[in-house]
Amino acid sequence: MNQQQPLSFLSVSEHTAPTTEAPIQPWVVLVVDDEPEVHDVTKLVLSSYRFESRPLELLHAYSKNEALAVLKSRDDIALILLDVIMESEEAGLECVQCIREELGYRNVRIVLRTGQPGSIPEHELMLRFDINDYKNKTDLTKSRLFTLLTSSLRSYRDIKRLESLTEALTSLNEGLEEKVKQRTHELESSNQALKDAYNRIAQQQQALIQSEKLASVGQFAAGVAHEINNPLAYLKSNLEFVQGALVKLYRAWQFLANNAQLSPDSVNALHEIEREYQLNWTLSESDDVMAEMHAGLDRIQLIVKELSVFFESNQTQLQLVDFHSQILDSVMINLELDGVNLGLIELNRCEPLELHCAPALLEHSLYCLIKNALESTGRVRKGIHVKTMVEDETLIIDISDCGEGIAEKLVHRVFDPFYTTKASDNHVGLGLTVASNIIKSHGGQLSIKSTVGVGTIATIQLPII
């Protein structure tokens, strides 16, 4: 082989003094050839070669199997100088296929070297096999070998850099995707927080609207009550006067009609007046008429009383109160003051909670519902069960009794104004109507489930704002 000196640009541009700051990583080159002399000459020629101030580390294999074994143990080989004809005429080509297909090494540069031309043209070899160059051993002078190594190692370096950049970009993309996910999650959390804030504001606005509605209802009810109570007072007073006067008149007529001292003409005249005006019948029936009028006026008074919960303007103002101590306990006290045996009420409380409500109105609603449940079980003297619980930011109050129950076809009518299944003397049928409207005004719901012969459950659902 002609020992030709390397070109001057190699010794100038590729030879730089290695740094002393850190160990220099050599370029790993695998020489595969079945002739030991080729290994010796290659080692001798390349002993002084440097690329980017890095020397070479030469690995040696003398057959296809030895080459594959070395490749399996090392993943940092940059270049393979591979003989074509070794243990067989196509051993080198078979080795290329194993390197690319079985081992999957795509970055390593492969240069075929042959001592004698094969049956396959060089260009066809380059197309059929994934090799990077094809050289005749006799043409590889020192200078050409240096040039071959430089181009191959530069290509390997660029591929590795591109691979590193690709990995870095992939890692960056994954990082960006993670950041995007994190940011998206943060935005979703922020959006959810904004939605929650919006819902709270909407609920507060709704509460204000309902408060204004309640205030309007209170003003209207107070006006109506005032206009009704005044004439109601003098009607009852005048009715009592008229009733007393009629009693006196009836007694006077009876005395006059039964007076034996009257002359026959006077008696005949009295009988004529009695027949013409039916005085005996009118005066005797006046008690029943007066009783019906009293009953009517008493009913009007009951209706006004049922609406009296709205009379005071401060009762319609929403406040933040402790539900159990300021509302439920007040209901129990009022029931006890009205003669209710609290031992008939089984109370099951949830944890303490604060509720935004109009306390007097909500207290009136609970009073009506509990009193209604107690009255429905009055005949059998059974108790009722009052249970409070919290689910999904909602206060749930169950009031259950073991009374006679309500027929399914009549349950939907219990909220109708003036509908009642009880004696009308003491009930006007407004209790459940008023209670339902008050609960609705708080953004809640009142529902009734009943089974004849089993009992009734009234369920209140109130949002905890």
Side-chain angles (χ1 to χ4, degrees):
M1 183 178 293
N2 183 13
Q3 300 295 324
Q4 189 173 351
Q5 294 297 321
L7 296 178
S8 60
F9 78 89
L10 288 173
S11 60
V12 174
S13 62
E14 308 297 346
H15 285 247
T16 55
T19 60
T20 57
E21 295 179 357
I24 298 175
Q25 188 72 22
W27 301 100
V28 183
V29 177
L30 174 60
V31 181
V32 185
D33 201 298
D34 59 347
E35 297 181 8
E37 295 82 1
V38 174
H39 289 269
D40 295 337
V41 172
T42 303
K43 184 177 180 181
L44 178 62
V45 172
L46 298 180
S47 60
S48 61
Y49 177 81
R50 298 288 186 277
F51 176 62
E52 293 184 344
S53 302
R54 294 168 57 183
L56 299 180
E57 178 186 351
L58 295 180
L59 303 178
H60 300 275
Y62 297 88
S63 66
K64 180 187 79 170
N65 292 334
E66 285 186 20
L68 296 176
V70 172
L71 285 163
K72 290 177 182 179
S73 64
R74 298 287 294 265
D75 60 356
D76 57 347
I77 298 174
L79 173 62
I80 303 175
L81 298 175
L82 179 60
D83 190 13
V84 177
I85 301 174
M86 292 183 288
E87 61 267 32
S88 66
E89 288 189 359
E90 295 188 354
L93 299 177
E94 293 172 358
C95 187
V96 171
Q97 286 183 316
C98 289
I99 293 170
R100 298 301 192 197
E101 298 174 7
E102 294 182 13
L103 300 182
Y105 289 173
R106 298 295 177 184
N107 295 341
V108 63
R109 305 293 87 193
I110 301 177
V111 177
L112 289 181
R113 296 195 303 176
T114 182
Q116 52 183 334
S119 59
I120 305 175
E122 293 182 16
H123 182 257
E124 188 175 342
L125 279 175
M126 293 288 290
L127 292 176
R128 287 178 56 185
F129 297 93
D130 188 3
I131 60 176
N132 304 104
D133 209 343
Y134 185 86
K135 298 294 182 183
N136 198 312
K137 292 180 181 179
T138 57
D139 295 334
L140 283 177
T141 62
K142 181 178 181 179
S143 176
R144 290 179 179 176
L145 185 57
F146 274 34
T147 301
L148 174 63
L149 260 68
T150 300
S151 63
S152 298
L153 293 178
R154 182 178 287 128
S155 175
Y156 176 79
R157 177 203 65 190
D158 294 343
I159 290 174
K160 294 298 288 184
R161 286 179 178 174
L162 182 60
E163 187 179 63
S164 298
L165 287 173
T166 302
E167 291 177 355
L169 286 173
T170 301
S171 177
L172 181 61
N173 285 335
E174 291 175 353
L176 287 174
E177 289 178 0
E178 185 62 31
K179 288 182 179 179
V180 168
K181 288 180 181 178
Q182 182 179 356
R183 184 58 180 162
T184 301
H185 178 70
E186 292 174 356
L187 289 174
E188 288 176 350
S189 300
S190 298
N191 288 338
Q192 187 60 45
L194 289 173
K195 288 180 181 178
D196 293 341
Y198 174 80
N199 290 335
R200 287 195 295 271
I201 292 172
Q203 288 174 340
Q204 291 171 357
Q205 289 177 336
Q206 186 64 26
L208 290 174
I209 293 171
Q210 294 300 334
S211 178
E212 292 175 356
K213 287 182 178 180
L214 288 174
S216 300
V217 171
Q219 292 175 357
F220 175 75
V224 170
H226 176 74
E227 294 299 324
I228 292 177
N229 274 330
N230 284 339
L232 183 64
Y234 60 72
L235 276 174
K236 294 196 71 172
S237 176
N238 292 342
L239 184 61
E240 290 175 359
F241 170 78
V242 171
Q243 187 174 16
L246 284 174
V247 170
K248 293 178 181 179
L249 179 62
Y250 180 71
R251 289 176 180 173
W253 173 258
Q254 289 294 326
F255 174 79
L256 184 62
N258 297 323
N259 191 343
Q261 298 178 359
L262 293 176
S263 64
D265 292 338
S266 298
V267 171
N268 291 333
L270 288 175
H271 285 307
E272 186 66 27
I273 293 172
E274 193 279 332
R275 282 194 300 270
E276 183 177 354
Y277 295 102
Q278 296 182 340
L279 290 180
N280 281 331
W281 179 85
T282 301
L283 293 174
S284 63
E285 293 294 321
S286 64
D287 286 341
D288 293 337
V289 172
M290 292 297 171
E292 290 178 359
M293 292 175 67
H294 274 295
L297 292 176
D298 289 341
R299 182 169 177 80
I300 294 173
Q301 201 166 30
L302 276 175
I303 293 173
V304 174
K305 184 180 178 181
E306 288 287 344
L307 297 175
S308 65
V309 68
F310 297 107
F311 290 179
E312 299 294 333
S313 60
N314 60 354
Q315 291 184 340
T316 62
Q317 295 177 358
L318 298 181
Q319 304 173 34
L320 188 63
V321 299
D322 182 275
F323 172 74
H324 292 106
S325 65
Q326 294 180 259
I327 295 180
L328 192 56
D329 288 348
S330 296
V331 172
M332 296 297 128
I333 292 172
N334 290 333
L335 287 169
E336 189 174 24
L337 291 174
D338 288 346
V340 174
N341 179 10
L342 296 186
L344 295 174
I345 302 175
E346 181 183 350
L347 194 56
N348 187 358
R349 304 170 183 250
C350 63
E351 67 278 3
L353 62 94
E354 289 186 331
L355 194 65
H356 204 66
C357 65
L361 296 182
L362 192 57
E363 181 182 326
H364 178 78
S365 299
L366 286 173
Y367 179 90
C368 290
L369 290 168
I370 295 175
K371 191 72 178 292
N372 194 66
L374 287 167
E375 289 173 350
S376 68
T377 58
R379 297 179 183 176
V380 292
R381 301 299 297 169
K382 289 184 179 180
I384 67 169
H385 185 201
V386 179
K387 180 180 180 181
T388 64
M389 67 196 94
V390 176
E391 293 181 3
D392 299 328
E393 297 298 320
T394 301
L395 171 62
I396 300 175
I397 308 167
D398 281 340
I399 302 170
S400 56
D401 63 60
C402 300
E404 298 176 355
I406 306 170
E408 184 178 357
K409 63 181 180 180
L410 299 177
V411 170
H412 70 282
R413 295 192 59 192
V414 296
F415 298 121
D416 293 346
F418 306 108
Y419 175 81
T420 181
T421 58
K422 302 171 185 175
S424 60
D425 294 342
N426 299 318
H427 300 87
V428 295
L430 282 177
L432 288 179
T433 305
V434 172
S436 176
N437 287 333
I438 289 174
I439 291 168
K440 286 180 180 179
S441 71
H442 285 77
Q445 291 182 344
L446 172 61
S447 59
I448 301 290
K449 292 182 180 179
S450 187
T451 304
V452 175
V454 177
T456 303
I457 299 177
T459 300
I460 302 171
Q461 293 179 312
L462 289 170
I464 302 174
I465 303 177

